[in-house]
């Protein structure tokens, strides 16, 4: 399992590093980039193990390849209708696939987000798009991250000789991150950041136990995870960097305690290694974002900082006050809603573990919910986890394990209360880590009552996080129906004399244009329909025929049948 995780992570890290080198010499994205990255990952894996390589690794290499292909195919089954996905993510992937070189070229119509933002997912997706020809196949990265989290957690716990129930429950809880599950069928990258930051922390924990985990393997996992994490979003570099600094300081303290005369040399060596990793993450792997931003705009994180910086938070925030602590509390302990500055309603507080069906049901499938974005029961689960952590830490033996728990808790709490956007779930992977820490402590204690509490906490977490899975059949239907609509429109165009390839392109562009109008204008679909239906025109005539044939009713019945089937599964 560990080899599979290494191969999947190494492939993505190799892909961004390969891209940096090829972009530098003027070579654009092509179909062979992905297989070449996988080959580099295989070579890196063999290099980690040296003479320890045996025939079982061949099966794991094959398994990793099959998992990668399977997840790419699954991603293609879902049509991403999200705002961000269609506003700039798909644009960036398409531009890269069509030859855009971010080190040398201006993205043109792609705009500032495409130019400035981190590009690891876009480059990886463009390589897939170049192979399959289907843009929707280009978004398997969050699913890959979820698989890696489950596998590495299971291996980590097994190596620490935890029982099977512990291993399976905790591995599932770690993998089923609610933000990742909600975004795994879209081009959004926040869920991917959540799972990758978790992989960074697990890699750091592995490094702390060289007697259990081979140090070379642990370091390689940290390097791959951090290179990817730091190039998903700017916050990925910040969060991953803070955890790395915290563990570096912890190691320095251990060196000092072990040998007060010769502690400085190992600290300097480790510090140099972390500095090298940061340099590779930013200036090699991140050359198409951090370096180009610095050269063109004199700041690493343009367009969020520097000249012409854009404030993306104020218009999206549902809060009029700048009180970070109050906003965080309201966001965690309110009904699930998607409220922004332009909304005419305010968050409504609720009792933990309660659910307001009428208010919250329509947001259960939300990709980017602002209020109570971790789920309808998460506030209660978080309270239980906090109580468990306090009680267990008080009773724990004050050994190295205790201080590692405390270190991770302090980092998570520091980020929670130090980052003012912590009210928004998509930006706060560290809050979910607090719940995982509570779950780990309850499952790790042998007392029956405590273990039962841990299992109950896990069941509540699965119920809270797994709601989104009920909507997957509905998402599949939506993608299937859109494809059928595009095919029908194209068939009609071919019947009128248009070439088949051009007909598909025009039909798909019509659907995409309509979706973008709904997402970008915020107007009611009926209002948009009225805007394009001129008197006695072609569009209103087409609408008349659709109404005559019962199109609207058919769609409603199909959606109802899909929802009913989903509930019965």
């Amino acid at each position: 399992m560990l080899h599979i995780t290494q191969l999947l992570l190494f492939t993505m890290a190799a892909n961004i590093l390969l891209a940096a080198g090829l972009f530098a010499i003027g070579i654009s994205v092509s179909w062979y980039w992905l297989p070449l990255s996988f080959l580099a990952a295989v070579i890196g894996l063999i290099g980690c193990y040296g003479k320890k390589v045996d025939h079982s690794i061949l099966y794991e290499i094959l398994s990793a390849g099959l998992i990668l292909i399977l997840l790419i195919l699954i991603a293609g089954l879902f049509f991403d209708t999200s705002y961000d996905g269609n506003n700039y993510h798909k644009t960036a992937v398409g531009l890269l696939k069509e030859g855009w070189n971010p080190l040398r070229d201006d993205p043109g119509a792609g705009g500032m987000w495409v130019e400035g933002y981190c590009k690891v997912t876009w480059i990886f997706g463009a390589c897939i798009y170049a192979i399959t020809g289907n843009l929707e196949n280009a978004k398997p990265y969050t699913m890959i991250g979820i698989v890696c989290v489950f596998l590495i957690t299971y291996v980590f716990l097994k190596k620490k000789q935890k029982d099977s129930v512990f291993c399976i429950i905790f591995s599932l809880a770690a993998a089923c991150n609610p933000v990742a599950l909600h975004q795994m069928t879209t081009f959004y990258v926040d869920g991917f950041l959540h799972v990758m930051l978790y992989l960074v922390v697990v890699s750091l924990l592995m490094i702390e136990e060289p007697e259990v985990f081979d140090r070379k393997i642990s370091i390689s996992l940290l390097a791959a995870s951090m290179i990817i994490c730091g190039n998903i979003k700017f916050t990925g570099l910040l969060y991953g960097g803070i955890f790395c600094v915290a563990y570096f300081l912890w190691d320095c303290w251990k060196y000092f305690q072990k040998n007060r005369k010769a502690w400085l040399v190992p600290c300097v060596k480790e510090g140099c290694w972390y500095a090298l990793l940061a340099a590779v993450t930013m200036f090699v792997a991140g050359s198409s974002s951090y370096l180009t931003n610095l050269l063109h705009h004199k700041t690493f994180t343009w367009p969020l900082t520097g000249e012409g910086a854009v404030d993306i938070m104020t218009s999206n925030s549902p809060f009029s006050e700048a009180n970070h602590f109050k906003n965080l509390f309201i966001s965690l302990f309110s009904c699930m809603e998607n409220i922004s500055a332009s909304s005419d309603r305010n968050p409504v507080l609720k009792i933990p573990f309660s659910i307001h069906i009428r208010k919250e049901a329509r947001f259960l499938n939300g990709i980017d919910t602002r209020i109570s974005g971790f789920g309808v029961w998460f506030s209660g689960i978080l309270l239980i986890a906090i109580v468990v952590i306090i009680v267990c830490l008080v009773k724990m033996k004050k050994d190295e394990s205790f201080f590692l728990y405390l270190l991770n808790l302090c980092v998570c709490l520091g980020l929670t209360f130090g980052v003012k956007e912590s009210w928004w779930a998509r930006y706060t992977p560290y809050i979910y880590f607090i719940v995982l820490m509570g779950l780990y402590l309850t499952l790790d204690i042998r007392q029956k009552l405590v273990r039962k509490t841990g299992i109950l906490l896990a069941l509540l977490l699965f119920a809270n996080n797994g709601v989104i899975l009920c909507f997957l059949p509905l998402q599949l239907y939506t993608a299937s129906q859109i494809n059928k609509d595009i095919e029908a429109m194209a068939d009609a165009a071919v019947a009128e004399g248009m070439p088949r390839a051009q007909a598909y392109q025009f039909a798909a562009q019509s659907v995409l244009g309509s979706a973008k109008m709904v997402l970008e204008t915020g107007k009611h679909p009926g209002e948009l329909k009225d805007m394009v239906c001129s008197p006695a025109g072609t569009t209103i005539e087409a609408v008349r025929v659709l109404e005559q044939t019962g199109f609207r009713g058919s769609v409603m019945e199909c959606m109802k049948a899909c929802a009913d089937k989903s509930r019965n599964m």
Side-chain angles (χ1 to χ4, degrees), residues 476-502:
L476 278 171
Y477 163 76
T478 303
S480 172
Q481 187 57 45
I482 289 172
N483 289 332
K484 287 181 179 179
D485 292 343
I486 291 173
E487 184 181 19
M489 292 167 67
D491 286 344
V494 171
E496 293 296 323
M498 183 180 289
R500 171 68 64 177
Q502 189 178 17

Side-chain angles (χ1 to χ4, degrees), residues 366-377:
I367 297 167
D368 182 22
T369 307
R370 289 165 176 77
I371 302 298
S372 197
F374 280 111
V376 291
W377 288 348

